[in-house]
Amino acid sequence: MQILLRKTGFDPRFSSMVLVLLMVWAALAALTEGTFLTPRNLYNLSIQTCVTGIMACGMVFLIVARQIDLSVGSLLAFTGMLIAYSQVQWFPPEANWGWLLSIALGVAAGVAVGAFQGWWVAYRQVPAFVVTLAGYLMYRGAAFLVADGQTIAPLHTNYQVLGGGLSGSIGVSWSSALGVLTCIAVVWHRWHVRRTSALYGAEQPPLWADVLRVVLQCGAIGAFVAVMNSDVGFDAQQNRVGKGIAVPVLIFITVVFVMSFIAERTRFGRYLFALGGNPEAALLSGIPTFRVMLYLFMLMGALAALAAMITTARLNSGANSMGQMAELYVIAAAVIGGTSLAGGVGSIAGCVVGALLIQSLDNGMVLMDVSSAKRQIFIGLVLIAAVWFDVVYNRRSTR
């Protein structure tokens, strides 16, 4: 089966993850008597996945480079509190630029914290596990100190758009147009890949396989847009209005696109995978490994701040309890998505499926009224199973 999938251009591991995701969705739909697959719940699921998914993209890069960050949940809380506090206390509430400056301040704080951690890991050779475990404690405490443990609210009206909802979605027309443009881009990309492969005489999958791939991708895009358009809200005149794609989902898609481009098309991406594959060889070949690690932690800090922005906008407040256990979900999403803990292997597309899977399990268990403690136990077991699968898969791949 693996040989057939490879010959037709499909990644066996990614295909198996998508299949598992569909099976989990079917099981959750049956256990919740269809509630899980309602447009309202899928709309909420898409927004919930954004926070985990954005940070999982950065975690993929770190794990590929044989590093880890256990402080992302606490960093989300710290930068989120900084954004909320500065927006409410420092900038005039009527100013339309205050919320923009607060976002810039939060991202700058995330980058600075990432640089601090990266410096200790890269230039002082302190293990990332120790540095970020200390950060887990420090940034949670810093989040409390920002407002002495108080919840900061309300936030600016324009800022709340970043959290989704009826006002934080682009509507049916724009969502449909975006879906059509994306399908056109998918078709053009596949045609461009085949044309380039033929130009250089490279081996390429059969035409029917590429047509099938395009049909599946466009079908998934169309189904996603249709579900988002099906979820309705009520405007000021109490009219039923389709929400369409939420703004945080668009932010997540942008992050996925940028991170995929960095991984596949830039020198930094090549350095990253070379560092994870063999650190000694990467250093001897002239790759600035210390600088790459420093940039990786700075990037992770910026992504944690973006996740904090979506979280605070969605809650319309900042609280120091935000992001608890987020590090577990982020690492689980990256590993379930096919990122090898041995380093050198991972993909952004895989982590998107991993984030969707881990958030679907959490969302489905909430619908089934499973307690928080039992959900944590189950997610932990899923993480162990994902790592075990990674070990078995790598062992069989090297035979």
Side-chain angles (χ1 to χ4, degrees):
M1 189 64 182
Q2 287 191 16
I3 296 175
L4 176 62
L5 288 172
R6 290 188 189 282
K7 283 185 176 179
T8 52
F10 289 91
D11 184 348
R13 186 162 184 167
F14 183 78
S15 301
S16 62
M17 286 188 296
V18 173
L19 184 60
V20 169
L21 177 64
L22 295 177
M23 292 169 62
V24 168
W25 280 13
L28 290 175
L31 292 172
T32 59
E33 299 179 348
T35 305
F36 179 79
L37 291 181
T38 57
R40 174 63 54 87
N41 188 60
L42 291 179
Y43 180 88
N44 292 332
L45 177 62
S46 70
I47 297 178
Q48 293 166 357
T49 304
C50 294
V51 173
T52 302
I54 286 175
M55 292 194 291
C57 289
M59 191 63 73
V60 167
F61 276 18
L62 282 172
I63 295 178
V64 165
R66 303 192 181 191
Q67 306 297 325
I68 195 125
D69 191 342
L70 301 177
S71 68
V72 289
S74 300
L75 187 53
L76 181 152
F78 171 59
T79 53
M81 285 300 293
L82 203 56
I83 291 173
Y85 187 82
S86 61
Q87 198 173 128
V88 173
Q89 299 291 336
W90 293 350
F91 304 126
E94 69 279 2
N96 288 324
W97 46 265
W99 62 279
L100 292 171
L101 284 182
S102 69
I103 294 173
L105 181 64
V107 173
V111 172
V113 169
F116 171 75
Q117 296 192 141
W119 181 80
W120 280 104
V121 174
Y123 294 99
R124 289 296 174 264
Q125 302 293 302
V126 179
F129 177 83
V130 176
V131 173
T132 58
L133 184 60
Y136 171 86
L137 299 173
M138 291 191 297
Y139 311 136
R140 183 63 65 181
F144 182 89
L145 290 176
V146 169
D148 288 331
Q150 297 178 359
T151 298
I152 307 297
L155 304 181
H156 197 279
T157 306
N158 292 343
Y159 182 77
Q160 295 174 31
V161 170
L162 301 173
L166 183 59
S167 60
S169 302
I170 61 174
V172 173
S173 301
W174 282 107
S175 299
S176 302
L178 185 61
V180 171
L181 289 175
T182 307
C183 289
I184 293 174
V186 168
V187 174
W188 177 85
H189 178 260
R190 185 50 46 192
W191 172 81
H192 178 71
V193 169
R194 287 192 69 86
R195 181 172 175 271
T196 305
S197 299
L199 187 64
Y200 290 99
E203 185 180 359
Q204 52 184 334
L207 180 60
W208 66 265
D210 273 347
V211 172
L212 177 61
R213 183 199 298 266
V214 169
V215 169
L216 291 175
Q217 291 175 340
C218 292
I221 293 168
F224 171 71
V225 173
V227 170
M228 295 298 104
N229 288 344
S230 300
D231 186 28
V232 297
F234 295 92
D235 61 11
Q237 290 75 36
Q238 296 301 308
N239 296 319
R240 291 167 61 89
V241 180
K243 292 180 180 175
I245 301 174
V247 172
V249 176
L250 295 178
I251 296 173
F252 179 37
I253 292 173
T254 304
V255 169
V256 168
F257 178 78
V258 172
M259 296 292 281
S260 298
F261 182 82
I262 292 174
E264 299 171 5
R265 299 300 181 92
T266 66
R267 181 183 299 175
F268 181 78
R270 293 191 290 274
Y271 285 174
L272 169 67
F273 283 89
L275 174 61
N278 191 326
E280 291 78 15
L283 181 63
L284 293 174
S285 62
I287 293 176
T289 54
F290 293 169
R291 200 189 316 158
V292 170
M293 280 194 282
L294 177 67
Y295 290 165
L296 282 176
F297 280 96
M298 293 171 66
L299 181 60
M300 185 72 249
L303 293 175
L306 281 182
M309 177 190 73
I310 293 175
T311 303
T312 51
R314 188 175 176 223
L315 298 175
N316 190 23
S317 65
N320 61 79
S321 60
M322 295 184 301
Q324 288 184 343
M325 305 298 294
E327 50 280 334
L328 172 62
Y329 284 74
V330 169
I331 294 172
V335 174
I336 291 173
T339 305
S340 174
L341 290 173
V345 176
S347 71
I348 299 301
C351 95
V352 173
V353 178
L356 198 51
L357 179 57
I358 204 77
Q359 206 63 55
S360 297
L361 290 171
D362 190 58
N363 178 287
M365 286 189 286
V366 170
L367 292 178
M368 290 188 291
D369 200 23
V370 178
S371 67
S372 175
K374 291 179 180 177
R375 295 204 308 271
Q376 291 175 9
I377 292 172
F378 186 76
I379 297 296
L381 291 174
V382 170
L383 178 58
I384 293 176
V387 174
W388 172 77
F389 177 78
D390 175 64
V391 171
V392 173
Y393 185 86
N394 287 333
R395 189 182 301 160
R396 291 186 177 182
S397 299
T398 53
R399 285 179 180 174

